[in-house]
Structures are given as C-alpha cells and as structure tokens.
Amino acid sequence: MAETREKSHKPKPRVRPIVRLGIFLVSHSFLVSVVCCTSGVLALFLLPVLAKNTYISENALMPGSASPMLSNQHVLDGNRLVKDLTNSNLKSSETGIESHKIIAQYMLDLGAEVSFHKFHPQMNQFHPLHFFSSPDSGKIQENYSCSSYGINTVGVIRAPRGDGKEAIVLVTPYNALKSGFGEALSLGIAYSVFSLLTQVTWLAKDIIWLVADSQFGEYAAVSAWLREYQTPKFSSLSTLNSEMCPDINNLFEIKVHSVAGSKFSNSFRRAGTMAAALVLKVRDQGEQFEDTISIYAEASNGQMPNLDLINVVNYLAVHRQGLRVNVEKLRSLLNSSWLKSLGEIFESLAKVAKTLNPKCKFGIPATEYVEGTATLASSLYYQALGVPTGPHGAFRDYQVDAITLEISPKFSLDKVWRNDILLRGGRLIEGVIRSVNNLLEKFHQSFFLYLLTSPSKFVSVGVYMIAFALLIAPLPMVAASLYVDANSSSNFLKGDSSTPSAVTDAAEHGITIRSWKWLNSAKLVFIVHLWGAIVSLLPYFICQIPDCSPTTSFVIWVLLSILSLLILNSVLASPLACVKASQEKEWALVKSVTISSVFIGLGLMSVINFATAEIGALVMVPMCLLAQPLKLDVRAGTLRSCCRIICNLVLGHIAFPPAAFFLLKGMLDGFGSANVGDFWMWVESLWAWNSATYLFIGMVQLPCWVLCVSILFHSC
Amino acid sequence: MEKLKKKIGSLSFWNWVIASIIFRLILIYFPKNLNLSSRPEVSTPLTSFRRLAEGYWLKQSSMSPYAGSMFHGSPLLLSLLGPLTVKRIEGQPNHLLYSLVSVIADLVSAMLIRATGQNLQFAYLRTLGSLDLVKQIEGSELRSSGDVAALIYLCNPFTIVACVGLSTSPIENMAVILCLYGACSRLIPLAAFGWVIATHLSLYPAILIIPVIFLLGCGPDAPPRKLFLQRHQQKGVLNESKLPPGFTWRPIIHFAFWTLVWSVYLLVLCGISLKQFGGLWEMFKSTYGFILTVEDLSPNIGVLWYFFAEVFEFFRNFFLIVFHVNILFIILPLAIRLHHRPCYLAFVYITICSMLKSHPSVGDSALYLGLLGWFVNELSDMQFSLFLFCGYVGVSLLSPVMHNLWIWRGTGNANFYFATAMVYACLQIVLVVEGVSAMLNHDRKLRHLITGKLHEAKS
C-alpha cells in the first residue's frame, strides 16, 4: 500500500530503506511466499531436532533432595484399604455408598477432615462465548432426579506449619459401582501417601484428597467439585436438594452417627488456593516390559500446565523410582519410512555440521527423531482438538496446574508386585507433593506454552512460533501485492497523472472513492464471515430437536447453512453477484481482503490455541495463496496454470472441513466405517468441551473456503 | 433521476439508522452474557458505570461521592444519570433506562454529525464553485459526507460496544460533537456550552478551543486562502465576494463571553451539589487531578498505565509532565499547518488525545472514526486504508484474547496485553499521519488543478 505512492512518484530521489525493503518483498511476493511456506513446513519438521532438554526452572522445588519417608507400614495401610474395597465391592455392589463409607472411615481414622460432596452431572451445554468469559458457577438445574447423583469423598489434612491459605490436591477417580482393581490400587497408593502426610512435620500446604466418583465420567466429577470449591453458589439448591431427596440425606445421617465425635462434616470443606493438582490412575492391564508411568497434560483449548510440574514428575520417576515415563505419541507415525529417512537426512546433515564446527550440538539419531516427531504430532493433535485428555483439564480452567499420572505396572498384580507398585508410586507422589510443598509462589518460572517431543524434551513457544510465522508471513505480502496490482491496473486504465491533460482525470479520480475500492470486497468477506458465525450457531438450535440421529442432524445443518447463505445473499445486496460486477480485477481485491482476514484469523488463533492455528495454516495458506479464477487459468493454458488448476481443485476439496474430517478419519480407521453422522458427533464433542477449534472451523476456515471457492468460479 | 437517487439514498440511510438502533436494543436485552460493562476496553475509571453507581450511592448516604477513590466523574452526571443507576422496571433488564439514555445520546450525536457534515459539504462545494472547479466535480460522484459520517458513527462496533457497555462515553462524545456542531453552524452559545461541558466531563476536549476559534473566526473547512488569491490574481479581477471571509474577532469575543457564562454557571451548579463534601477543590482534585496524575494503573487500551507501573517513583512527576506536554507540543504545529481546515484540525486533535490520554476507551475511537467520515471526499486518496482497517479489526479482536490469556488463563502476562495496546497506538499514529498527508495532498491537488487550468487557458 505504501508502494502505490512510491510507484507513482518514482522520480523521487530517496526512499526510506524500510519502504524499499517492503517494495522489494511485495514485488517478489511469489518467490517470497514459496520460500516462506517451504521453510515454514521444513521448520515444523525440524522442531524435534530443535527441542531442548527440560530443566527445573524454579529453584524452590528442589525435587528429590529429601529421602522418601514412605515406609512399608504405610504400604501395608494402603494394602488394607485395597483389600477392604475389593471385598466390599463383592458385598454390596449395587449402591456404591458402602465403599465411599469405607474410604471416609479410613480417612477419619487418620485424623483428616472428611466431607461428602454430592453433585448432579451437568448436561453438556453450548457456550459459544465461554472462552472469553470467566468460569461461571454453572446454571442451577431445576429438573434433576434423585436417582442420578454422584458422591465425591473429600479428605483434608491441615498443614501443621501452614497458614491454611494454600493446598495441594490429589485426585483419584473411583467408580464404586464397577471398579476395576486398578482403581482400588490407585486409592491404595493415595491412601498410603495420605497416611504418611498426616504424620509429617514439614507440610506447609494443606492436602486435599478427592476421591472423585467417576460413574458419570471422571471429568464431570472433578469439575463439579471444583466449581463448588471455587465459585460457591449462594442459592437454596442444597436445602432444596435435601428436602427433595431424603434418601441421600439419610445415608449421610447414618454415617455421621456411626463415627461420633469425629471430624466428619456435612458441609463443603475447603482449604486454601490450590498450588497444584495430581490425578492418579492405575491401569488394569499392565505393560509388558517395565513399569511405566504416562503423563497426560493437555487441558481444554490446548492449555498446558507449567512445564516445571512435568519436569518434577519426570525427574522423580526416572531418577528416583526407576519408572519409565511416557507421553502420548501417534503410533502410526512410528513405523513410517519417510519419517525415518527424513530423520536420517537430518542426522547426516548434523554430522556434516559437526565436521565444520565441532562445537555445534545439532542433530539427534534418526530413531529418536521419529519418536520425537510422533510425540510432537500427538501433542499437536490433542492440543488442536481442544478437548482435555483427562480430569486434570478441569483444574486448568481455574489456573491450577494439574496433570494426570497413569501407572501401568509390569506384571499381573500379585501381592509382591502390588506392594512394590504401592511403594514406588507412593514415593513418587510423596516426592512431587514435597516439591510442590516447597513452592513459595504459584508455578510461574517455567513455560506454559510448549510442545513436548519426549518427557524430557520440549519445544518452547519462541521456537515453534518461528515455523508458524514463516508459514503465514506470505499472507500479508501477497495481500499487499494483489491490492497494489488491482489499484495500479485501474490507474493505468484511466490514464497516468503525468501529462497535464490527465490532471483533470486524476482529479476526477480523486473525488471518486479510489483507495476505498476494497470496501466492496470487504463487504463480501464480512458477509461470508457473518454467515460463518450463523453456521456455527446453528447446532445450538438443531440439537434441541428431540430424537434426532446424527445423520439427520448433519443433513439439517447443511440444509440450513445453505439456506442461510442464500438468504444473506439476497438480503444484503447480493454479495456473490457483486463479485462479477464492473471491475476487472475485482477478484484480486476479494482475494486480497480474504487473505487479510485469514491472516487475522490465524494470528488470533495462534494466540488462543497454537496447534489449531498451525494445522489450519497448513491447509488454508496454500489454498488462499493459490486461489485464482479457473477461467483465467484455462484461458492461459500453460503448464504452470495447469498445475495451479490441479492444486486448486485438490485443495478446494481437502479444505472443506467435513471433507478434511472424513479424509483424516478414513486414513486412520479405513474408509469403510465412515458415516455422515460421524462429523456431527465430532462437532458435538467439540462444542460440548467449549473448544475454540470449533469456532475456528466455523468462523475462519469455512468462510475462507467459501471465499476461495467463489474466487475459483469467478467469471472474469 | 437524480432526485430519485437521492431519495433512495436517504431512505437507505434511515434504514441503517433504525437497524443500528434495533441492534443496540437487542444487545441491551441480553447484557448478562456479554458482560461488556466490566471490560477494560469499554469502561475506564472515568467512564465506568459501576463507579457512577457507587458515587451515586455514596452521595445518597450523604458521603462525598469522591470518597474511597471510586468515582472520578462530574457531580452533574451524578445528579442527572445517578438516579437511573438504581431505577428498575419489573421484568426488564437492570439498567434499561440508563442504556436507553446512551442510545438516545448516540442517536443525537449521529444527527448532529450528519447536520455538521452537510454543512461542511455545502461549504466545500461553495469553495470549489468559487475556484471554478465545479465542472470537474459534476462528472464524479460525491458522497454525502454527513450521511457517511453519521452511519460510520452509528454502525461502528466501537460505538455500539461503548453504548451497550453502559459507559458514559456516549455522553462525553455528544458534548464534543455539540461543540463542533455549534461552531460549524455559528450557534455561538451552543458551541460554548458544548465546549464547557466536554471539558468539564473529560478535560482533554479543552484543546478543541483552537479549532473552534478558527471555525468561528473564518468559517468551516476550505482550501488555503492563498489559493483563492492566486486564482483571482491570475484571472486579473479580484472578486471580493468570492473570497472566503477573513479572520474576524467578533464571534470569538462572543464565544469567550458565552464560555465565561457557562463556566460560571457550571461551577456554581457543581459547587451547590458538592457543598457539604469539600466543595469545588475536591472535585478538581479527584477529576482533573486523577486524569493528570494517572493514579489508577489498571490496564486499559492506552499506553500510560504500563509505563507508570514500571517507572521509578522519583521519576514519576517528570514523566507525567513529559507525557502531557506531548499533547501540548503537537497543538501548535498542527494549528499552523491546518488552520484553514478547522474541523479536520479538531479531528486530528481528538485522535491524538485519544492516543495519549491517560484512560482511553473504545468510545474515544468511536468518536474520531465517526468524524473521519466528514472528510470522505477529501481523503479518498488516503494510503493504507485497507491496512488500517485490518489493523483495527485485528487489534480489537486480539486485545480481549490477550486480556483473557493474562487474567483468566494465566498463561500470558501483562506484556501480552500491552503489546496490543502499543499496536493500537501505532495504528492511530499511522491514521493521523496518513490522514494529514492525504489532506495536504488534496490541497496540493486543488492547486495543481488551478494551475493546470491556467496552462490550458494560456495555450
């Protein structure tokens, strides 16, 4: 845009260097965009090589500096609980109340404060603007039934040295109705740690042990408890509750009488603000080779806990307890040969670099590269989905750092191995709690924005943003060059302003709105984006139609979307028709404005959820950059335009969100099982979790696709 | 045909006005989901509705409204709008009456902008006529700048957000526009009233006195005077009637008189309403003093809060002076360069103020973006228009996200939010620079036209 002026006053002797650079980049925008996009994709594949080793950033954590205090006595205690729970399971499996009673009894015996927390599972609701608002206390549901409720058992240890203003949370999901042995074992581990912590003197933060009733899902229980903890409801619901459901209350009454003089309370117990939370799970089926611990960290919208928390767990598990630490990876990538050869190329490149400069510590072995890429891909995938990978996700909504630890023991769980797992798992948890206990402030030293390539390696925001920035850098340049072209071509048509006879022309020109010509295109882009917003809101109404199968819902959605596009088209001055209006270079302006809007959308999304933006950019950037009316290309008939036609057609098909979904699904599960309703189900899960990815697809990608397609079929 | 076109144009104008008002009413009816009134972009300590309600409550319980550093507005706002903060209608949204007042203020402002724009356009056409450039214009389409400006003001998302977000900026904006309207249509008491009220409400419009003096002294925007002289000189005959009037002191003395009257009246009113609570001194301390000393460092879309949160205490006074003198420094050069276009000068001043003021909000941008519409014909050659547009869209979307990242998610920090504030300030700078240069280019082009014509005549 600066360039128009500079071009029209060419004889001007001096141009500022920055403007000259801008002109240079814009005039070579094709080359620049090819180079930038390629290097952006390449940088993405380089990320596993560029990953740094993790380090403990916060000094106060001091993991592993104290020797573990968890002894066999505590392990025996834990074992006792496991035994009792598995027995009670056999006795009265229908209510599940019994096992909660047992847990509460065990907690009380240790001298902890115990309370029950009743909750009703919340229906999944659609909050389109949830992302921008603070966590709310939830809608009070009027019509709940007394039969469907869950009970969380909560035990609190008050720290002897603390002021009661901070707390550490330990969560063990437990389904009393059909608990596997693993769940009981996780309770055993938590109990052994809990029993140790009642005795220690170093505790400076309160400990909350939440036994989350997972019959409605682990996440629902934890989030219900957290909501009650953080945003108490000052309503008459609890009294209403007890009035309407006497049977629930009775059970608690019995409980209270049975342990007279204890610290049991019927009200909700709180400790201080949460410093960190650990969710502990034990898998029923064991691994084959060694004891493994898997870390799940992704919360909603790709938020991660502070890297220090993962570091502490990783350090203690590997260096103190001899557990293998695992993070999720995409298995299908592990065997891919092209990735292996890419890794080998990087490895050989690193060798060359090392011969040139011995100090250069660049490059990793090919196998490690493949593994790192698989981990990175899964890290990107789960962050992009925006759906939390476990109950720890609920904590992140309240700015509490939390991770889920899943222990998969080596052998079938006979007695000796069980004790070993109890001891090692317990010591790990103890060590983590002890480290967190040392914290003076909340986690802030280390990274929040990172991608893991292995449990001990990470890519920080400063590195992965480079790949993304390279990928989207061509967008503004191409937009500028298109804009300049469209303006200068019309200038050329109407005459140059150098001859005196043309002066009047130029003046006339000046009084018409010349540099505001793009407003028409902007209107079109705006209308399509408005349509995108309407499309993203439609499911809210569709899902209220009773008895609707996913397939019919999807069909209704598509029909309504098309209908709304037509209505908008006709009401707001026929936006699609105005494309073919007077201007010759109209499509260039439309493309320019489209690219600008995509640039804004991608930039915005990269701040909200980087992974979504990165994956979206991989599809949308080529599509936007290549879009050109098919007619022009057909007319040109050169090799280059043929290539462009093919690319455009392929991208035009791939970039349509449902098509992209089915393609991915087909690649992963095989095309036979694909069903039209699947997309609806996937979308439903996205908005049930308030994923920003849903808004991104509806309000950035879909409008961009529509605009690109309208450019392709532009009649010029 | 022309008439019909005009009719259709005005019809669609009224359609848009009605649509924008209906849109506001719809938004007012579900304010809970939007929660706009607590956004830092909308409500600053000076314009916040909650603070107004607090001040009213304090006053009702016979305490000073300025106690506790909550309220920093004018005592007159308390008396006029205060009762609306507590009045409720059964079954309606809580602050319906107050919101309706904002909507009406917006509508009035838009109408005043329209009238002023028509005034300006009339003056523009007349000057072109006296320069014998009418022929050039007949071929091209002239937008009705009044309509454009009014529609920009009404349909601007910033205005809508400020209106629905229950801030007091619609009323402050109305005072500024009233002042400019009065000056343009030579209603001197009205201009003086608007200027006094605007200054009283938010202090910064005080510098508008310079454009108002120019407006009253030599009339609305016109090409430079020497252009006329040149034109008529070369023609050989000096037609006095076609020259724009020179600077006259009479209306300015009138203006000074009326300003004095209104100021005294205003101060007396304020004094009466604050009689028991420390009087006028208390008012000046906690309104003007608050604005000038930047006491409240809560984040907003300006750049001062971050700076004064970082600066060492003993440099604070020095930098306070530096930042405020910044505005004053800009006044004189601009006044010299743009003295022949007082309305444009006012626009530039307002833009610069909204960039450098201590507690800016989107309401301020709403005002200057609306006024930009007045010059739609002159600025048709403005550079970077698409860039500026995209920048404004991007920043206004990015800023809430960064705020969310910092405050609610805890993964960002203050720098993230401040970065958007800096980008926003840069955008405003680019807007001012490009706008001024486009306006000067326009003047240059008129000169070229005249000289070109002369060449033609000679040959």
Side-chain angles (χ1 to χ4, degrees), chain B residues 317-330:
Chain B
N317 288 332
F318 169 68
F319 279 111
L320 277 177
I321 294 168
V322 168
F323 271 91
H324 291 302
V325 165
N326 233 339
I327 298 181
L328 297 180
F329 270 155
I330 289 166

Side-chain angles (χ1 to χ4, degrees), chain B residues 137-415:
Chain B
I137 297 152
E138 269 171 359
S140 65
E141 41 176 330
L142 263 185
R143 305 286 157 115
S144 148
S145 59
D147 287 0
V148 172
L151 282 186
I152 290 177
Y153 186 76
L154 270 182
C155 301
N156 188 347
F158 288 164
T159 325
I160 294 174
V161 161
C163 172
V164 177
L166 301 172
S167 81
T168 54
S169 33
I171 291 159
E172 290 167 14
N173 289 350
M174 188 171 71
V176 172
I177 292 166
L178 201 66
C179 166
L180 291 178
Y181 169 76
C184 263
S185 38
R186 309 205 140 252
L187 302 168
I188 294 172
L190 191 67
F193 176 74
W195 184 77
V196 168
I197 291 286
T199 308
H200 173 64
L201 288 181
S202 53
L203 180 63
Y204 288 97
I207 62 168
L208 288 184
I209 194 160
I210 294 167
V212 167
I213 285 174
F214 281 130
L215 264 177
L216 293 175
C218 38
D221 294 24
R225 196 175 153 78
K226 69 175 180 205
L227 211 63
F228 291 93
L229 291 176
Q230 202 178 6
R231 170 96 189 116
H232 292 278
Q233 222 171 25
Q234 280 164 339
K235 245 182 167 182
V237 252
L238 200 66
N239 193 345
E240 278 293 339
S241 66
K242 278 197 168 181
L243 267 183
F247 197 84
T248 46
W249 283 102
R250 232 179 113 79
I252 292 160
I253 294 163
H254 269 218
F255 178 73
F257 168 72
W258 277 107
T259 308
L260 197 70
V261 169
W262 286 120
S263 314
V264 168
Y265 182 57
L266 197 80
L267 289 179
V268 167
L269 282 183
C270 289
I272 290 170
S273 92
L274 288 174
K275 203 165 53 188
Q276 309 108 330
F277 314 121
L280 287 178
W281 178 241
E282 181 74 16
M283 180 188 88
F284 283 126
K285 216 169 65 184
S286 46
T287 54
Y288 293 172
F290 180 81
I291 293 171
L292 291 177
T293 54
V294 200
E295 280 168 36
D296 190 309
L297 297 178
S298 56
N300 55 42
I301 54 174
V303 285
L304 264 64
W305 62 273
Y306 190 86
F307 187 81
F308 283 106
E310 297 286 321
V311 80
F312 287 120
E313 195 59 39
F314 42 86
F315 288 132
R316 198 184 155 90
N317 288 332
F318 169 68
F319 279 111
L320 277 177
I321 294 168
V322 168
F323 271 91
H324 291 302
V325 165
N326 233 339
I327 298 181
L328 297 180
F329 270 155
I330 289 166
I331 289 178
L332 194 61
L334 280 172
I336 292 169
R337 196 70 187 82
L338 286 172
H339 67 93
H340 55 282
R341 293 194 178 273
C343 275
Y344 195 70
L345 186 64
F347 158 75
V348 173
Y349 281 168
I350 291 170
T351 315
I352 286 171
C353 278
S354 81
M355 184 167 59
L356 292 175
K357 84 198 277 197
S358 50
H359 303 283
S361 72
V362 291
D364 301 316
S365 337
L367 177 62
Y368 70 72
L369 288 177
L371 299 193
L372 189 63
W374 280 345
F375 314 102
V376 66
N377 295 317
E378 288 91 331
L379 295 185
S380 58
D381 274 341
M382 202 170 113
Q383 309 284 340
F384 296 118
S385 51
L386 177 63
F387 168 75
L388 280 171
F389 178 76
C390 291
Y392 269 94
V393 172
V395 165
S396 54
L397 292 174
L398 201 59
S399 166
V401 170
M402 290 298 195
H403 190 258
N404 178 280
L405 221 62
W406 172 29
I407 301 292
W408 292 116
R409 296 219 266 173
T411 48
N413 52 39
N415 299 328

Side-chain angles (χ1 to χ4, degrees), chain A residues 358-424:
Chain A
K359 271 186 197 167
C360 181
K361 277 185 192 167
F362 165 81
I364 51 173
T367 49
E368 206 176 310
Y369 174 80
V370 172
E371 217 155 280
T373 313
T375 317
L376 184 75
S378 110
S379 198
L380 271 175
Y381 173 72
Y382 284 109
Q383 288 193 19
L385 214 52
V387 176
T389 47
H392 58 269
F395 285 94
R396 190 61 240 178
D397 291 342
Y398 300 94
Q399 292 196 24
V400 180
D401 296 295
I403 51 173
T404 297
L405 304 175
E406 194 176 53
I407 300 174
S408 346
K410 178 163 58 171
F411 281 101
S412 61
L413 297 153
D414 61 32
K415 188 126 190 207
V416 184
W417 288 110
R418 189 202 292 180
N419 278 353
D420 181 55
I421 274 298
L422 275 176
L423 188 69
R424 284 159 76 188

Side-chain angles (χ1 to χ4, degrees), chain A residues 536-596:
Chain A
S536 352
L537 283 175
L538 280 177
Y540 176 66
F541 301 105
I542 295 172
C543 74
Q544 295 187 347
I545 303 170
D547 306 328
C548 219
S549 76
T551 313
T552 45
S553 301
F554 181 67
V555 171
I556 293 173
W557 193 21
V558 170
L559 288 179
L560 280 179
S561 305
I562 294 170
L563 190 72
S564 57
L565 185 63
L566 291 178
I567 291 172
L568 269 181
N569 190 6
S570 59
V571 169
L572 289 167
S574 57
L576 290 179
C578 87
V579 177
K580 66 178 176 219
S582 55
Q583 299 274 351
E584 177 145 331
K585 279 274 193 175
E586 180 81 29
W587 68 268
L589 275 180
V590 171
K591 185 176 166 185
S592 164
V593 179
T594 306
I595 288 176
S596 314

Side-chain angles (χ1 to χ4, degrees), chain A residues 25-68:
Chain A
L25 286 179
V26 169
S27 54
H28 296 85
S29 65
F30 176 73
L31 191 69
V32 169
S33 53
V34 168
V35 168
C36 277
C37 280
T38 331
S39 55
V41 175
L42 204 67
L44 186 65
F45 281 105
L46 261 178
L47 286 185
V49 182
L50 298 174
K52 278 188 285 190
N53 283 324
T54 53
Y55 55 94
I56 308 274
S57 183
E58 171 73 88
N59 279 327
L61 282 170
M62 295 191 290
S65 57
S67 54

Side-chain angles (χ1 to χ4, degrees), chain A residues 102-182:
Chain A
I102 292 171
I103 297 165
Q105 188 63 52
Y106 268 81
M107 287 179 182
L108 282 171
D109 289 346
L110 291 176
E113 293 172 18
V114 179
S115 68
F116 288 119
H117 168 240
K118 287 170 291 185
F119 67 92
H120 298 277
Q122 277 204 324
M123 290 300 291
N124 282 329
Q125 277 163 334
F126 179 55
H127 306 289
L129 288 173
H130 178 88
F131 176 79
F132 288 108
S133 58
S134 50
D136 55 348
S137 56
K139 297 242 161 57
I140 297 165
Q141 283 177 310
E142 302 296 335
N143 49 346
Y144 55 84
S145 62
C146 289
S147 57
S148 77
Y149 63 92
I151 300 171
N152 292 329
T153 315
V154 185
V156 181
I157 305 174
R158 301 289 170 189
R161 296 217 174 158
D163 51 4
K165 285 189 178 145
E166 285 181 298
I168 304 169
V169 186
L170 186 61
V171 182
T172 47
Y174 179 67
N175 187 352
L177 293 181
K178 52 169 200 306
S179 76
F181 187 73

